[in-house]
Amino acid sequence: MQSIKVKTPAKINLTLEILNKRTDGFHNIQSIMQAVSLFDFITINIEDGEENKISISGNSRKIPYDSRNIAHKAASLFFEKTGISGKNVDIYIEKHIPVEAGLAGGSSNAAGVLHGLNKIFGLPLSGTELSALAAQIGSDVSFCLFGGAKLASGRGEILERVESADCDIVIVKPDDVSISTKEAYQKFSELEDKPKTNNTLKVFMALNRHEDISHLLLNHFELPILRDYPRIGEIKSLLIAAGCKNALMSGSGSSVFGILSDKFSMPEIENAKHFVVKTIKHGVTTQV
């Protein structure tokens, strides 16, 4: 039996700007994506069999363990692309990244499966080929394949390296609020006056100059989401009141991250049972 364990990091969006809707139904965006030190773990076991069979299990009750899981899609595409056959594949997902939180947990799992399978079978696919598969699976999967900090454009699959943010963060996910990406885009499409900004370029330049970017955080999804989910706005206010330099909803939500300052103190949230709180010291990572 062949086996590998892959650590798959969450991501936050330091900026997320939605430019327009494409003819293929996706949206063009520009975003600064940053991998952070909050991880799921993917264990892949391979045994010989008569035909390819993919089984998925895990420790979370909030995700499907069948072909609906994009980790399953990642494995299927890998074997289709490589032509490898006669393998029983068992994938175990140890979840620590909150689900439907805008932290790309599922996308990171899919990227981890691509990375892990490619390593087990002796790197049959190049980085370019893996990227092409990742883009077929989901908009964030390409970024999750490489991690670090990237300027993402297109629908998120076009990546350019940027310096990582040098800061510690706290992530807060309300247990009673979950938002799908589909719902977030629907709410954004209903806005009559859509925001027109260019903070992504400003953050890109500030990071490369190693400047503070806390005052430049921006997420276009916040306007419609905060209107319908006031809890998220309350979390932002609590984080800032607790001493964060700034706070922002990540991705399509519902998690909020705050950039820590020396004055940060937040026992009222850390002791609350209806929040998932992750304080990340040296909070960013370039680990794949």
Side-chain angles (χ1 to χ4, degrees):
M1 182 175 70
Q2 296 169 287
S3 183
I4 192 170
K5 188 171 186 177
V6 182
K7 185 164 62 171
T8 66
K11 71 98 178 106
I12 57 174
N13 297 85
L14 301 175
T15 67
L16 177 51
E17 298 173 310
I18 303 165
L19 305 181
N20 53 51
K21 191 169 184 177
R22 299 153 48 119
T23 56
D24 61 6
F26 292 97
H27 289 77
N28 284 313
I29 67 165
Q30 56 184 18
S31 175
I32 302 293
M33 298 183 181
Q34 172 71 65
V36 299
S37 302
L38 169 61
F39 302 96
D40 288 342
F41 295 88
I42 308 294
T43 301
I44 304 173
N45 293 314
I46 307 287
E47 292 183 335
D48 292 334
E50 295 183 0
E51 59 183 8
N52 287 341
K53 180 180 178 182
I54 302 167
S55 301
I56 300 183
S57 59
N59 66 334
S60 172
R61 297 181 179 179
K62 296 183 178 181
I63 60 174
Y65 294 112
D66 52 30
S67 60
R68 293 172 295 168
N69 193 306
I70 64 171
H72 188 287
K73 184 176 182 179
S76 296
L77 283 175
F78 176 86
F79 288 114
E80 179 182 321
K81 176 67 176 178
T82 60
I84 295 170
S85 61
K87 302 297 179 182
N88 290 328
V89 184
D90 181 76
I91 300 169
Y92 184 85
I93 303 173
E94 182 184 330
K95 291 295 292 182
H96 299 278
I97 302 170
V99 177
E100 290 190 335
L103 300 172
S107 295
S108 189
N109 295 162
V113 168
L114 290 178
H115 174 78
L117 288 174
N118 201 46
K119 192 167 183 180
I120 281 178
F121 290 107
L123 307 180
L125 300 182
S126 67
T128 300
E129 290 172 319
L130 285 176
S131 294
L133 289 186
Q136 292 182 52
I137 299 166
S139 298
D140 287 343
V141 181
S142 297
F143 167 78
C144 293
L145 193 61
F146 299 102
K150 302 288 190 298
L151 167 62
S153 57
R155 59 184 178 90
E157 84 285 10
I158 302 171
L159 304 171
E160 181 178 348
R161 185 182 177 277
V162 62
E163 290 295 319
S164 288
D166 183 16
C167 59
D168 297 334
I169 65 170
V170 59
I171 295 175
V172 179
K173 163 69 169 69
D175 274 350
D176 55 350
V177 181
S178 294
I179 303 167
S180 69
T181 303
K182 181 179 179 179
E183 178 185 1
Y185 272 111
Q186 179 61 39
K187 291 184 181 299
F188 182 82
S189 69
E190 294 168 357
L191 289 177
E192 292 185 6
D193 296 319
K194 294 182 172 55
K196 295 179 175 64
T197 51
N198 195 17
N199 277 36
T200 297
L201 179 59
K202 294 176 183 177
V203 171
F204 179 84
M205 295 172 65
L207 286 173
N208 285 333
R209 292 193 296 255
H210 303 282
E211 296 173 353
D212 180 29
I213 50 90
S214 58
H215 62 294
L216 294 170
L217 303 180
L218 178 73
N219 185 345
H220 280 181
F221 279 133
E222 278 198 341
L223 189 58
I225 295 296
L226 267 61
R227 178 191 62 195
D228 294 342
Y229 294 95
R231 172 65 67 83
I232 297 173
E234 292 169 5
I235 295 172
K236 285 190 63 173
S237 298
L238 279 172
L239 286 170
I240 292 171
C244 285
K245 294 179 180 180
N246 201 353
L248 188 75
M249 186 179 77
S250 182
S252 57
S254 60
S255 68
V256 177
F257 69 91
I259 295 181
L260 302 187
S261 72
D262 293 338
K263 299 178 181 178
F264 176 74
S265 175
M266 197 179 57
E268 66 271 23
I269 285 186
E270 290 174 343
N271 295 328
K273 293 182 179 179
H274 53 284
F275 293 118
V276 175
V277 180
K278 304 287 185 182
T279 304
I280 301 174
K281 296 296 184 181
H282 308 296
V284 299
T285 179
T286 58
Q287 222 168 324
V288 175

